[in-house]
Amino acid sequence: MRFLKLDGPFCRTCGTAVLRDMTAKTMWQGWWSPISLVIITPFTLIWNAVVNAKLKKLAPPVPGQPGQQLDPGKPLLQRPAIYLALIPIIWFTLLIIQIVTDGGLSSSSGSSGGDTGFHASDNNKPQKTLKLGQPSAQAQEVQRNGKTGKFTITPQRVVMGKPSDLAELDDKNKDKYQGKTLAWVYVNAKLVGGDAPIEGPMIGSDVGVLSEGDEPGTGLILIGDLSSRPADCKEEDTTATWQKGDEHSFCRPFIVPDGKKLTTVTYSRGFSAAPLKWTVD
């Protein structure tokens, strides 16, 4: 089970894009364990609704402001992933009905017709830890605008910044960056299957990092840029149209503890599956 959170100063357009993308993933990935089904996912969706209300109160972005704005994409109710949430909801409803009508689950309830349950433990089996530069063994599915692309993910390297780099952030509460520094993670993605062409898949939102002690880093979405960004560090292009076989590289900044070694780059596969991991030498 894993929680994802993106912090940063957002305009209304970029905040809406990120919120829609992460909520859509929650709606189809976030139900596949008993605790997620009845507690965690409903709470997450309620919290996202609160964030959405705050975003709607923001003024539209000023035309010509620096930085590339994200494409908000289709509203949530127009995305097929939303309706996949009906599967676990129906399953849970039928389970409750069976418990109420039968007074519990009998030991022979699955004796006819084979296995009808899902096995969360199968999805959470430990995955082989790779090294930077090794592609993911299996293609990872990324959805956007009703299409699903299958990508191999290859974290390539990590470039560490300095604590002073965070001083450039336009944030009123800069004290929260005390004891923190920046890490720039370079990632390559290749479209190997699924729907093609696919426009603007958001791959970087599932990339994460761990420092010593398995302390997660915080992904940083920049409006504008930092002068400390490495010259070869490109932002993810969320407007690109991908054909099968296309591959693109990008790098993403993370706020991590200063003085602790960054040990692992991760790629989230939702709440029901353990994340992929690459060790950082």
Side-chain angles (χ1 to χ4, degrees):
M1 186 179 299
R2 187 177 182 193
F3 297 92
L4 297 177
K5 179 182 178 182
L6 290 178
D7 291 326
F10 292 99
C11 67
R12 187 171 71 180
T13 300
C14 292
T16 299
V18 172
L19 180 72
R20 287 178 178 178
D21 182 68
M22 297 188 71
T23 301
K25 290 179 180 178
T26 299
M27 289 296 287
W28 74 276
Q29 295 178 341
W31 305 95
W32 307 109
S33 74
I35 297 177
S36 296
L37 182 66
V38 299
I39 299 177
I40 296 175
T41 297
F43 173 81
T44 300
L45 295 175
I46 292 172
W47 178 253
N48 284 2
V50 172
V51 173
N52 187 49
K54 293 181 179 179
L55 288 172
K56 288 183 177 179
K57 294 179 180 179
L58 296 177
V62 178
Q65 69 176 22
Q68 179 183 358
Q69 295 177 16
L70 300 177
D71 178 10
K74 293 182 179 179
L76 287 172
L77 293 180
Q78 296 181 22
R79 302 186 183 202
I82 295 298
Y83 300 100
L84 292 175
L86 294 175
I87 297 175
I89 292 174
I90 292 173
W91 174 84
F92 181 72
T93 302
L94 293 176
L95 178 64
I96 295 299
I97 293 174
Q98 183 178 1
I99 293 175
V100 171
T101 56
D102 294 347
L105 298 176
S106 66
S107 60
S108 62
S109 61
S111 61
S112 63
D115 185 3
T116 59
F118 71 90
H119 301 273
S121 59
D122 291 343
N123 291 330
N124 285 294
K125 288 181 179 179
Q127 300 293 310
K128 178 181 178 182
T129 300
L130 304 172
K131 294 183 178 180
L132 292 184
Q134 293 181 318
S136 54
Q138 296 178 337
Q140 307 302 309
E141 294 187 348
V142 180
Q143 292 190 334
R144 189 70 191 271
N145 296 336
K147 291 187 175 183
T148 300
K150 295 183 178 181
F151 297 82
T152 55
I153 310 299
T154 310
Q156 298 170 312
R157 61 193 176 99
V158 174
V159 173
M160 299 301 300
K162 304 184 297 295
S164 58
D165 297 338
L166 295 170
E168 292 186 54
L169 295 179
D170 185 14
D171 194 320
K172 296 179 180 179
N173 186 20
K174 291 188 177 181
D175 290 342
K176 66 182 181 182
Y177 299 133
Q178 292 293 327
K180 304 290 185 180
T181 189
L182 274 178
W184 302 88
V185 179
Y186 290 69
V187 180
N188 176 271
K190 182 176 182 179
L191 180 62
V192 296
D195 297 328
I198 182 171
E199 183 177 353
M202 297 177 67
I203 297 169
S205 60
D206 286 323
V207 177
V209 294
L210 298 174
S211 297
E212 290 176 309
D214 286 341
E215 185 172 350
T218 300
L220 183 62
I221 294 181
L222 297 173
I223 305 301
D225 206 350
L226 297 178
S227 62
S228 58
R229 176 188 290 272
D232 60 349
C233 175
K234 299 179 181 178
E235 294 183 3
E236 180 179 11
D237 186 356
T238 58
T239 64
T241 299
W242 296 58
Q243 303 289 343
K244 186 175 180 180
D246 285 354
E247 56 183 308
H248 297 277
S249 296
F250 62 90
C251 82
R252 187 173 173 216
F254 288 86
I255 299 175
V256 296
D258 185 32
K260 285 190 176 182
K261 176 179 171 56
L262 196 150
T263 61
T264 311
V265 175
T266 65
Y267 189 82
S268 172
R269 299 186 297 157
F271 294 127
S272 62
L276 302 180
K277 293 183 178 181
W278 290 262
T279 57
V280 179
D281 294 330

